[in-house]
Amino acid sequence: MNKEKDRVNIEKDSRRNKKLSAREVALEILTRVAEDQAYSNLLLNQTLERYKLERLDASLVTEIVYGTIQRNNTIDHFLQRFVNKGLEKLQPWVSSLLRLSFYQLYYLDRIPPHAVVHEAVEIAKKKGHRGISGLVNGVLRNVLRSREELTIPDNLPPVKRIALQHSHPEWMVSKWIKQYGERTAEQICASNNEPPKSSIRVNTLKLERTALLERLRNQGLQAEASEIAASGIVARSGGNLALAEGYAAGEFSIQDESSMLVSEITDPQPGMQVLDCCAAPGGKTTHLAEKMHDMGTIWANDVHEHKKKLIEAQAGRLGLNCIRTQVTDAAHLSERFAEGSFDRILLDAPCSGLGVIRRKPDVKWSKSEREIAGITDIQFSILSDIRNLLKPGGVLVYSTCTLMREENEGMIARFLEQFPEFEPDPELEAMLPEPVREKAMLSAGMVRILPHHFHSDGFFIARLKRKSPDG
């Protein structure tokens, strides 16, 4: 419902005023994220497409939207002292305007402060009245006068200091300190505020990675081979890679490097029967198909009918024919297939998503500690249901894009305890590229990549084998 409401509102705004400034567009997005809990990445893409901003303006909107959401609680911590009645008493758009203006004044050094204040006041006049524009002007000028005093004390308790310094919820910081220690928890939080890298996966059925690298460089892009994914390329510039030459022809897909490792570790062979339990939008499914040379069968399942079309569209663009799609709740897949049907099963499980905060900064504010318990129940329910679909001697790969131990190592320990016919596959370590073996966190049949290891998404991958009856 929120997505449809966002789309309608954007269309209305677009018709009403086609010449909104970059900061006005950013304000609209931030206000709707705050009011409707809309996903910032989806709303940002929709809005940029509707308003068709110039490239520099689109970059500024992206910077302001993501930066303001990333730094939300630190910004509010500082702003509260300048708003007598409290930010929560202001209209949502006024709070959002103050936050995005503070972000520019405090975190960006390329925009003149007087320009930030002037445009904020003009927006306040346009959307509100003289009283509101006066409040905005007064608050922002006080911020400028107090700029040097706005620091986080070093003597705060670790959880509070890291939460304010790097703008994360305290419950999240507390859990990561318990699981990883204070230093690593701070590295994770700091890395979550960095801009995400752009990476693509070469469709090796159509061309070699070296050929695509050469072409991208000839187009003026700064591109280099991924050090952690065999078919990956990291692009340092180039904007929207979906518009680059070769994408529409299926020569590459846009995918994070850590995510590419999942299909590498699944290691399907040509002619195999493979089940991808939660397949949408299809990045890992199509990677599996490419590794199988498009020979064999992959059943790509998802619980949402509309997402099935996303998988089919990606398979069509890449020229892959071995993928079959279906819509089923993954916890009931045993009702659709006979026992022992598959050589490989991939469960890229529903999870809290706390490894991709860099790409979806609103995730850290929308998730709660209580939600994680509910998610682990779903994960275990799916694992329990699909286990018998694997042939004896077959491989089950379980992955998540979160950093929470209870969804990762804890989930695998729980599964192995209840189903001793499975065991961790010690071959996983040998399948990993050397940089991953050196930097990532390894345990028996499992690997966890944290966001600061390679500045890619945080990911957990476990490779389990179903024991044969003869051992």
Side-chain angles (χ1 to χ4, degrees):
M1 289 295 289
N2 284 342
K3 292 176 189 174
E4 180 59 19
K5 186 178 174 184
D6 293 337
R7 186 186 65 74
V8 171
N9 285 336
I10 290 168
E11 285 179 348
K12 285 179 180 176
D13 287 347
S14 183
R15 289 194 294 271
R16 231 178 9 239
N17 188 348
K18 294 181 179 177
K19 294 185 178 178
L20 293 184
S21 69
R23 292 178 181 85
E24 285 176 295
V25 174
L27 175 60
E28 293 290 346
I29 296 170
L30 287 168
T31 304
R32 286 177 195 155
V33 168
E35 286 189 310
D36 304 331
Q37 288 77 53
Y39 292 118
S40 60
N41 59 328
L42 298 179
L43 187 55
L44 179 66
N45 290 337
Q46 289 171 3
T47 308
L48 293 180
E49 191 175 324
R50 294 282 175 191
Y51 285 119
K52 302 191 184 309
L53 297 178
E54 296 294 327
R55 184 173 172 179
L56 286 177
D57 280 343
S59 296
L60 180 59
V61 172
T62 304
E63 165 78 58
I64 291 174
V65 168
Y66 281 163
T68 304
I69 296 173
Q70 280 169 342
R71 302 288 184 173
N72 188 72
N73 70 337
T74 311
I75 291 172
D76 281 9
H77 170 77
F78 288 135
L79 267 179
Q80 289 291 3
R81 73 177 71 179
F82 303 108
V83 181
N84 291 335
K85 294 182 179 178
L87 279 168
E88 63 282 0
K89 297 285 179 61
L90 301 176
Q91 295 179 59
W93 73 265
V94 180
S95 303
S96 295
L97 180 59
L98 289 173
R99 289 182 178 120
L100 72 86
S101 301
F102 184 95
Y103 173 73
Q104 296 170 81
L105 293 173
Y106 192 81
Y107 291 104
L108 302 182
D109 54 14
R110 64 179 186 274
I111 303 176
H114 70 269
V116 174
V117 176
H118 174 76
E119 180 148 3
V121 171
E122 291 303 309
I123 292 172
K125 286 179 184 173
K126 190 173 172 181
K127 291 181 70 71
H129 51 69
R130 183 176 292 182
I132 292 177
S133 66
L135 179 145
V136 168
N137 187 44
V139 168
L140 296 181
R141 291 196 180 282
N142 278 335
V143 168
L144 280 176
R145 280 192 284 270
S146 309
R147 176 71 178 78
E148 299 303 318
E149 302 166 16
L150 302 179
T151 58
I152 305 296
D154 290 332
N155 59 355
L156 293 174
V159 170
K160 193 168 186 62
R161 181 186 63 77
I162 294 173
L164 280 177
Q165 191 75 49
H166 303 288
S167 207
H168 279 64
E170 289 189 14
W171 72 266
M172 204 176 288
V173 176
S174 177
K175 283 189 78 81
W176 285 341
I177 287 179
K178 286 175 187 168
Q179 293 182 4
Y180 300 105
E182 183 179 332
R183 182 170 178 272
T184 301
E186 184 157 15
Q187 287 176 314
I188 292 171
C189 293
S191 183
N192 283 342
N193 290 330
E194 295 173 354
K197 287 195 293 188
S198 298
S199 55
I200 58 178
R201 186 192 78 235
V202 181
N203 182 355
T204 51
L205 299 182
K206 296 203 172 190
L207 76 170
E208 297 293 326
R209 178 165 71 171
T210 50
L212 183 57
L213 263 172
E214 184 178 354
R215 184 197 299 166
L216 292 172
R217 287 166 180 162
N218 288 340
Q219 292 173 26
L221 297 180
Q222 296 177 27
E224 58 192 50
S226 166
E227 62 176 330
I228 65 172
S231 53
I233 290 176
V234 177
R236 304 291 179 188
S237 61
N240 186 354
L241 292 169
L243 302 177
E245 181 186 345
Y247 177 79
E251 293 180 350
F252 64 87
S253 298
I254 298 170
Q255 188 178 19
D256 182 78
E257 295 169 278
S258 299
S259 176
M260 295 179 207
L261 273 182
V262 175
S263 299
E264 295 290 349
I265 289 172
T266 305
D267 192 30
Q269 301 299 312
M272 279 187 167
Q273 299 297 305
V274 178
L275 173 62
D276 188 351
C277 303
C278 302
K284 298 179 186 69
T285 309
T286 51
H287 192 189
L288 292 171
E290 290 163 10
K291 289 186 67 63
M292 291 165 65
H293 299 173
D294 203 24
M295 292 186 283
T297 303
I298 300 175
W299 279 97
N301 178 75
D302 201 84
V303 70
H304 300 294
E305 176 70 36
H306 67 283
K307 290 188 176 179
K308 174 184 161 187
K309 294 176 183 172
L310 294 177
I311 303 169
E312 291 168 347
Q314 291 305 314
R317 182 181 64 81
L318 294 162
L320 300 168
N321 299 304
C322 73
I323 297 171
R324 306 282 180 270
T325 55
Q326 70 167 20
V327 178
T328 300
D329 182 337
H332 297 283
L333 278 166
S334 62
E335 299 168 12
R336 302 291 292 267
F337 297 104
E339 187 171 334
S341 294
F342 297 102
D343 303 284
R344 298 281 189 274
I345 294 180
L346 167 59
L347 172 56
D348 187 46
C351 69
S352 57
L354 302 185
V356 295
I357 285 175
R358 190 184 292 149
R359 296 184 192 282
K360 301 175 182 176
D362 41 312
V363 164
K364 62 183 171 184
W365 309 118
S366 62
K367 298 290 180 185
S368 68
E369 189 171 6
R370 190 167 45 185
E371 279 181 71
I372 292 176
I375 291 171
T376 58
D377 289 342
I378 294 170
Q379 293 162 346
F380 191 74
S381 172
I382 298 174
L383 272 173
S384 303
D385 185 75
I386 62 173
R387 73 187 195 283
N388 283 332
L389 300 181
L390 190 66
K391 293 177 182 175
V395 170
L396 166 62
V397 170
Y398 171 87
S399 64
T400 73
C401 59
T402 191
L403 311 179
M404 292 299 182
R405 192 181 298 277
E406 52 266 58
E407 298 180 68
N408 298 329
E409 289 91 343
M411 179 56 55
I412 296 303
R414 181 179 169 189
F415 178 73
L416 293 176
E417 184 179 351
Q418 186 148 342
F419 304 108
E421 67 269 30
F422 284 83
E423 61 185 355
D425 185 355
E427 294 177 18
L428 178 142
E429 184 170 344
M431 300 170 76
L432 297 172
E434 187 174 342
V436 177
R437 289 201 297 272
E438 289 176 353
K439 287 187 180 177
M441 303 173 72
L442 304 181
S443 51
M446 296 175 256
V447 58
R448 180 161 32 173
I449 296 175
L450 301 180
H452 62 280
H453 287 154
F454 300 99
H455 304 282
S456 57
D457 290 348
F459 246 87
F460 170 83
I461 309 169
R463 181 180 162 100
L464 308 177
K465 275 194 170 178
R466 186 177 184 185
K467 299 174 188 171
S468 299
D470 59 3

